[in-house]
Amino acid sequence: MIGPRVVVNGTLIAGANNNITNGAILHGSIFVGDQCRISDYCDVASSAIGNRCIIGHGAEMAGVLFDKVYLYHYCEMSGVFGSATDIGAATVCGTLRFDDADTAIQVEGRYEVPPNGANATYMGDYCRTGVNAIIMPGRRIGSYSVVGPGVILYDDVPSKTMIMAKQELITKPWGPERYGW
């Protein structure tokens, strides 16, 4: 089903029992598996989307989603995301480095710069991110791993690893006298 306010600018090839509704914006070449929901003013650019995926509520996506990936609540994702991956609200994948360079990755002890997708995120199967996780360009996250809420991820994450932020808080007195209320 393609519902009201949906915009398709490009090629859309969709499998069976999909719901593409409520203002979804699709542009470029989009390939969608079966039983997906793409809705609620999300923005999908040139992507391959597996079966039973959900992309909604302002999520932005470009790349590859394997089966059962969940993107929701204003996240911005670019790269390859493994099966059964759950992306937390407002997770962002950086794609442009501050120095404008491409990210070199280590392959069998040597560094290489891929000709395409060097700054994309590569995430294995069964991963999760917490609210407001920020993944810097070109990071690789192994299967069964978690990037916790508020983490700014600068390094690759091995499989079966959880990365959590540790925050120091300062508590001080505060009241209306600061502004003359």
Side-chain angles (χ1 to χ4, degrees):
M1 179 177 101
I2 297 179
R5 297 174 303 284
V6 170
V7 176
V8 178
N9 288 322
T11 301
L12 171 62
I13 298 174
N17 301 315
N18 288 302
N19 286 307
I20 303 172
T21 61
N22 195 28
I25 302 167
L26 295 90
H27 44 99
S29 297
I30 312 287
F31 302 90
V32 180
D34 298 332
Q35 300 177 2
C36 294
R37 179 169 55 109
I38 302 172
S39 63
D40 303 316
Y41 300 96
C42 66
D43 185 323
V44 180
S46 295
S47 293
I49 299 165
N51 300 309
R52 297 182 312 278
C53 291
I54 295 175
I55 305 173
H57 200 255
E60 296 179 37
M61 171 59 200
V64 177
L65 300 181
F66 283 80
D67 293 344
K68 298 191 290 185
V69 176
Y70 181 85
L71 308 178
Y72 216 71
H73 294 296
Y74 305 111
C75 61
E76 182 179 1
M77 308 307 291
S78 178
V80 178
F81 303 92
S83 295
T85 293
D86 183 4
I87 302 299
T91 295
V92 174
C93 291
T95 57
L96 181 61
R97 288 174 32 147
F98 197 67
D99 62 4
D100 296 324
D102 288 329
T103 302
I105 61 170
Q106 190 171 16
V107 178
E108 296 181 0
R110 68 182 185 284
Y111 284 92
E112 297 182 13
V113 176
N116 296 320
N119 292 336
T121 296
Y122 296 90
M123 191 176 289
D125 296 338
Y126 304 98
C127 289
R128 299 188 78 173
T129 68
V131 173
N132 287 324
I134 299 172
I135 302 168
M136 300 308 278
R139 295 303 90 208
R140 295 176 296 163
I141 300 164
S143 295
Y144 302 98
S145 292
V146 174
V147 178
V151 168
I152 301 174
L153 186 67
Y154 287 97
D155 298 312
D156 292 344
V157 177
S159 292
K160 298 181 179 177
T161 302
M162 177 184 282
I163 303 290
M164 299 293 285
K166 185 175 182 181
Q167 180 179 0
E168 183 178 326
L169 300 176
I170 298 170
T171 303
K172 294 181 177 184
W174 190 264
E177 63 280 356
R178 299 291 265 176
Y179 294 105
W181 295 327

